[in-house]
Amino acid sequence: MTTIYPGTLMAASAYHRPSTLPDALALLRDAAPAILAGATDLYPARAAAEAWMRQGPERPILDITGIAALRGIAHGPEGTRIGAAVTWAEIRDAARLPPAFDGLRAAAREVGGAQVQNRATVLGNLCNASPAADGAPPLLALGACVEVASAARGTRTLPLAAFILGNRRTALAPDELATALLVPSQSPTARGGVLKLGARSHLVISIAMAAGVIDTRSGRVTAARLAVGACSPVAQRLLQAEAAILGQPADPEALAAAILPRHLGPLAPIDDVRATAAYRRHAALVLLRRLVAGLAGADTRREAA
Amino acid sequence: MNAMPPATTALTVNGAEHRIAAAPMTRLSAVLRDQCGLTGTKVGCEAGDCGACTVLIDGVQACACLVPLGQVADAAVTTVEGLAADPLGAALQRSFLAHGAAQCGICTPGMLLAAMDLLARTPAPDEAQVQAALGGVLCRCTGYRKIIEAVMDAHRHAPLPAPPQTGAAVGARMVRADGAARVAGTALYGDDAAPADALHLRCIRSPHAHARFTIGDLGPLLARHPGLVRVLTAADVPGRNGFGIYADIKDQPVFAEGLVRYRGDAVCALVGDAATLAAIRAEDLPIAWQPLPAHATPAEALGGAPVQDRWADNVLTTGRVVSGNLEAGFAAAAHVVEGEWRTGFVEHAYIEPEAGYAVRVGDRIEVHCSTQAPAMDREEVAGVLGLPMEAVRIVPTACGGGFGGKLDAGIQPMLALAAWITGRPVRCALPRAESMASSTKRHPAAIAARAACDASGRLTAFAFDGTYDTGAYASWGPTVAGRVPVHAMGPYRVPAVNARARAVFTHNPPSGAFRGFGVPQAAIAQEALWDRLADALGMDRLEFRLLNALRPGNTTATGQRLEHSVGLVECLDALRPRWQALRAEAAAANARGGALRHGVGIACMWYGIGNTGMSNPSTMRITLDAAGRLVFWNGAVDIGQGSTTVLLQIAVDALGLPAAAFDQVMGDTDLTEDAGKTSASRQTFVSGRAAQEAGAALRRAILRRANAGDDAPLRLEGTRLHAGEAVLDLAALDAPLEGVGRFDPPTVPLDADGQGIPYATYGFAAQVAALAVDTDLGTVTLKRIVAAHDVGRTINPTLVEGQIHGGIAQGIGLALMEEYLPGRTENLHDYLIPTVGDVPPIECILVEAAEPLGPYGAKGIGEPALVPTAPAILSAIRDATGAEITRVPALPHRVLEAMSR
Ligand SMILES: Cc1cc2nc3c(=O)[nH]c(=O)nc-3n(C[C@H](O)[C@H](O)[C@H](O)COP(=O)(O)OP(=O)(O)OC[C@H]3O[C@@H](n4cnc5c(N)ncnc54)[C@H](O)[C@@H]3O)c2cc1C
Ligand code: FES
Ligand code: FES
């Protein structure tokens, strides 16, 4: 029996799974396909549309998971390169990431369930550009950039904050593919973390997420990057909050107290089914304070040991 | 450049090579089910949210609904059908059976494969590892605890427990009689068994809460799509274009006639081949909409334009119970408390959406479907098609969860209509969003209640006014409005009561039956009042409830004297040590300070088993024929709760032959008698008693024919039946021996003041919840739930615990996270139900205050398990923080808000 299911009508020729990047970029230039990686955002969006018979026109598909050059996590003097085909599970299980990546790894453990982690890509999470994308805050805190390629213009690199432009909007041109995340090399003493808040324990979209990477030397904060997700159309770095703790003694309680409501200026939370805007603003502050206290506490504990 | 993938894709499934001819973007789940014929992989959402489709791809778990075929070329896929070949897989399946980890079984394949992924790397995992591995698979039945145990135990490779001895079946932890097929993935559910040539049906539903519409000329649409065989509208309905639970209220149209009354109301249906239906978009249909103002709440509907002309004031039914002198009760009281509470729509979220197929057989119509009520479906289909009842056959498939939501006729009438008119088999499985938009819900309630006690703590008066949003159509609204006032004061002696519940029409989805029929909402108000009274008295909250608890010999507010089987005092006594210990632990934790505040809560419940003041009989039949075949003709549908097993255990002991000797024929309306619907916690009590009578009747027939004494042991060997010393040659029978049992619980209808005997017996329970509240964030972490339930007699402890666990999980959802908002939480990622990490350890205490009417003393457990959980959790939040939660779900922002009041 051959039942053809909604959303699967396209001819075989409209699905492309090239094995090289140039082939992929040529396709992108010539066929205006939709890009597919782990498919964990693409299929749910289809299911929602199909349920009310609002499925869009069929587009050809460019599946990028067969491209060897997009695979793997590589470490070099410049930093860490995370290919576009790298899944959340690969980040979660990676053996060689420095402690600054602990936040990204913690986020990886909480994106969906294991099935989603096993197939969903980190870069797909950013390209999908949901306000609640759990990849954005920890990668902002790592100072990550996105490498983008096209057949016509070669490669360019954008800071993450310039890559995600708004709710479901990125800086990608129609002929461009995001090829990698570039994370600058991190201080070996820097620590990263995230705190994710949701209304159940697994499979939950964040009500708010706080992420940070903090470095301390001789008991003082020498570097700090903090970001909050799900409280604005795009996750935000909080420069004022970072400034408030920079140079301060790495005392957990004092650092937490140094972060003030007015430092959350860039956030613009909304009311939705998960929470109210006022609650999100409040929760973001609580999470940030706990996060910096935890990161500083971990450092204090390590130095004492 | 390989821009042109091969026309077929190579795939290894369970070790066998397949070459699949399908578009590369076909979901792997569809490939496995439709091309490989492996329907053990289930589909609950096609969005990654439920995990029912979990398979292993090269040993790693993935949602098959999120994987394009093109991406798994040359990969090795393992599905549930391939598990038994691996000794570890087989051990895991046995462990699921032994622990009772599969109820309805629809989540079981996904659970098993997610667990295999873990066990292959970590043979003896701890609980945290199991939770991380299973976090992506939802189960709506089990509350997950038995699944966790089963996974942690699999490495022991234990054999299956032996079946119980005859005479000791009642009370035994017998493995589910229908369990093997569920863990093997071979049980056939609503979407698993349609004929290969079946057409597909796609229902077109209203995107508006209230609108007029006209359907234009369908000719061009049909002409454009040769694969579109027919478009069905109201004009095609040969019989009554309406269905509904009550004989005199068939108000929900199969297809609306020019006016829709809720988002999800059925307008017409496309019948054709799947590819054609998938290509048709909403804008291709010649439907013109004229949206109208909608009543979003009962407050708007009361005094507003009628939703249905027949009910000018929008009040469907008002239920009432009045007894004693209310004013005197309040006037004489030492303490009076009052409050208002609100609850929202709750979705059943069975993991199997509505599905089935219909086929015309000459002048008869057969509907094979996932249902809780085959006999009612039969009446509805007959009415809609204008056929005599004899012309309709309903064959229930395995049911992947119901909880009340599959009691209404659902898609059955339109499927039957499509097959009747086209003469072809027609199948349908609702997409998750359509299932959620169109199906019934738990009634949202707005409750105002007031209670009083004297200086010694004895309750003196209770007043309750509940407004229940019944949505656009009646469904079970009258049942809810009738049941709530009877139960509103809870299982307590209250000399003066005035309780009223109204079911009010709105332009919302129809509210119907959902585990507890409105009682869980009422219990939230009632139990919150007791906490306030106990505090006003300075009395322990458990002791306050104990002081007022119903006891044998007491009379209820409906004037019913309870003689037997009132086990609430035993439940509370059994809980007391755990209550005190948990309270001490919470106090010690709070003494350490910090943002986490610990609290312990308590709540009780009672629940009338069976229909309210109405006949609800069940008939069971057991036959023994000349071939030595012993058949249990059992019309009760097992929706996962375990009636197939429980009724068998009862029959085994009543007849005296072992479980293995029985064949069961289930549900089929051509072959079995009406056992009544699987609802109101009635199957163990009502059908159980009928099964006991049937077993006893067959036993008498055997003994009479064999001329053996009353206590002669029976033994069946081929066609030779030994009865003590005597031997009966069955081959010589000219007609099968038969035992028929019928039971209808004795009740007396309620009068205008709600006086009467609404139920023949009641279940009683008390639960304690221990939790911690993060006082900065308003988040709640459950620590433990202790549940004491008076079940009369435990027929099967594993199944009873399973019902308690599952009910508690749904109570947790009601209390903390579930809220259906039409058009907004129409999927399983915005509508949250508890996951494996949201159900804390549960301790079950089974109290047995035998019910003389019940089989071996048993009553029911299905709904009672859910009722006290939400109030116990809210009681614990109040204990921890002082916050009075008056609106559920208690989402973090609501808890924080309540704390600052
Ligand atoms: C059950 C479930 C739970 C989830 N839970 C979470 C969660 O907790 N937190 C969270 O943040 N997300 C969650 N998600 C969302 C999703 O899993 C992530 O966003 C995921 O990382 C997306 O990656 P993907 O590879 O699957 O993307 P795809 O679905 O393949 O693609 C997503 C989008 O990005 C585009 N795209 C992908 N890769 C590229 C590229 N290299 N260049 C250009 N465009 C590209 C695609 O065209 C598409 O528009 C969940 C999803 C599901 C189904
Ligand atoms: S059907 Fe695949 S996750 Fe629900
Ligand atoms: S047994 Fe898990 S959903 Fe029914």
Side-chain angles (χ1 to χ4, degrees), chain B residues 42-54 63-66:
Chain B
K42 302 304 177 192
V43 170
C45 70
E46 298 205 308
D49 296 321
C50 73
C53 63
T54 300
C63 292
C65 74
L66 296 184

Side-chain angles (χ1 to χ4, degrees), chain A residues 180-196:
Chain A
L181 277 161
L182 305 175
V183 181
S185 72
Q186 306 284 317
S187 154
T189 54
R191 304 207 142 247
V194 298
L195 290 176
K196 172 171 172 171

Side-chain angles (χ1 to χ4, degrees), chain A residues 16-290:
Chain A
H16 310 271
R17 192 164 184 255
S19 51
T20 72
L21 187 57
D23 284 354
L25 296 180
L27 263 165
L28 209 44
R29 178 192 58 208
D30 302 335
I35 298 168
L36 177 85
T40 64
D41 278 319
L42 186 130
Y43 277 118
R46 281 195 176 189
E50 285 162 3
W52 289 94
M53 302 175 73
R54 296 217 194 84
Q55 60 273 36
E58 287 292 351
R59 282 175 70 189
I61 293 281
L62 168 59
D63 184 335
I64 62 167
T65 57
I67 302 170
L70 301 183
R71 296 213 186 104
I73 305 170
H75 306 280
E78 306 281 271
T80 303
R81 180 191 167 88
I82 299 171
V86 170
T87 62
W88 283 109
E90 287 174 78
I91 296 288
R92 180 193 70 200
D93 301 336
R96 282 191 51 218
L97 291 172
F101 282 79
D102 285 358
L104 186 63
R105 296 179 64 170
R109 281 192 291 276
E110 291 194 62
V111 167
Q115 304 100 319
V116 167
Q117 293 158 20
N118 286 335
R119 300 199 73 85
T121 61
V122 183
L123 206 46
N125 184 256
L126 303 177
C127 292
N128 188 57
S130 154
D134 285 339
L139 285 162
L140 282 171
L142 284 166
C145 292
V146 181
E147 181 192 83
V148 167
S150 64
R153 298 177 303 285
T155 297
R156 63 180 179 133
T157 300
L158 295 168
L160 184 50
F163 178 76
I164 310 181
L165 299 180
N167 185 358
R168 312 274 167 193
R169 277 199 308 125
T170 68
L172 283 172
D175 65 343
E176 279 180 326
L177 181 71
T179 46
L181 277 161
L182 305 175
V183 181
S185 72
Q186 306 284 317
S187 154
T189 54
R191 304 207 142 247
V194 298
L195 290 176
K196 172 171 172 171
L197 175 64
R200 69 178 177 188
S201 69
H202 295 272
L203 286 182
V204 69
I205 301 171
S206 295
I207 295 172
M209 173 188 261
V213 173
I214 290 181
D215 200 6
T216 55
R217 295 268 160 76
S218 319
R220 284 194 183 268
V221 176
T222 54
R225 281 188 299 263
L226 301 174
V228 165
C231 291
S232 41
V234 183
Q236 294 291 319
R237 275 276 293 273
L238 297 174
L239 301 176
Q240 287 183 301
E242 293 170 6
I245 60 170
L246 197 65
Q248 299 296 312
D251 168 59
E253 274 162 44
L255 281 188
I259 298 180
L260 301 175
R262 62 184 162 82
H263 299 150
L264 305 188
L267 303 185
I270 56 162
D271 286 340
D272 68 8
V273 296
R274 286 179 275 280
T276 60
Y279 174 81
R280 282 202 164 86
R281 192 174 281 283
H282 166 84
L285 183 66
V286 172
L287 294 177
L288 267 179
R289 286 178 167 169
R290 286 190 183 170

Side-chain angles (χ1 to χ4, degrees), chain B residues 444-732:
Chain B
I447 295 168
R450 192 159 179 248
C453 66
D454 65 19
S456 70
R458 285 183 198 281
L459 291 169
T460 57
F462 178 81
F464 176 100
D465 190 11
T467 304
Y468 282 69
D469 182 345
T470 211
Y473 299 106
S475 181
W476 293 85
T479 315
V480 167
R483 190 175 267 271
V484 166
V486 174
H487 291 81
M489 74 302 299
Y492 308 96
R493 277 167 291 133
V494 194
V497 168
N498 187 331
R500 176 176 84 147
R502 282 181 304 170
V504 177
F505 284 113
T506 62
H507 293 109
N508 283 324
S511 297
F514 192 163
R515 220 170 181 170
F517 285 106
V519 177
Q521 296 93 307
I524 287 174
Q526 138 224 321
E527 293 293 318
L529 291 174
W530 307 156
D531 278 3
R532 295 180 198 180
L533 285 176
D535 284 3
L537 288 156
M539 196 170 185
D540 178 276
R541 288 171 284 151
L542 182 148
E543 304 302 337
F544 176 83
R545 287 167 169 86
L546 185 57
L547 176 70
N548 289 292
L550 283 171
R551 291 160 165 82
N554 288 162
T555 299
T556 70
T558 71
Q560 177 178 6
R561 200 179 131 89
L562 300 177
E563 302 291 353
H564 311 282
S565 195
V566 185
L568 183 59
V569 168
E570 291 93 318
C571 288
L572 286 166
D573 279 339
L575 277 180
R576 190 186 285 108
R578 299 298 294 129
W579 163 252
Q580 289 170 348
L582 289 167
R583 296 202 68 206
E585 282 171 32
N590 286 336
R592 292 195 291 272
L596 284 188
R597 294 284 305 172
H598 296 255
V600 186
I602 184 166
C604 303
M605 78 97 229
W606 64 329
Y607 199 78
I609 307 299
N611 290 5
T612 310
M614 257 194 261
S615 164
N616 64 131
S618 172
T619 304
M620 292 280 140
R621 202 167 140 246
I622 308 176
T623 57
L624 179 59
D625 66 16
R629 194 167 166 239
L630 179 65
V631 182
F632 186 4
W633 308 88
N634 173 357
V637 178
D638 194 330
I639 57 173
Q641 89 285 17
S643 57
T644 303
T645 311
V646 163
L647 300 184
L648 180 61
Q649 285 176 273
I650 291 168
V652 163
D653 279 2
L655 171 61
L657 283 170
F662 284 79
D663 283 341
Q664 284 212 60
V665 172
M666 314 280 310
D668 185 331
T669 56
D670 269 11
L671 301 177
T672 63
E673 308 278 342
D674 185 0
K677 65 216 162 25
T678 296
S679 77
S681 304
R682 58 181 289 287
Q683 291 297 20
T684 297
F685 177 55
V686 184
S687 290
R689 172 70 185 272
Q692 185 183 19
E693 305 274 334
L698 179 57
R699 181 178 174 82
R700 279 194 304 275
I702 290 169
L703 295 179
R704 203 178 313 118
R705 191 171 274 251
N707 222 345
D710 279 353
D711 48 4
L714 302 185
R715 194 157 48 83
L716 185 60
E717 274 173 9
T719 58
R720 292 170 67 77
L721 181 69
H722 301 260
E725 303 296 293
V727 180
L728 209 60
D729 179 14
L730 297 174

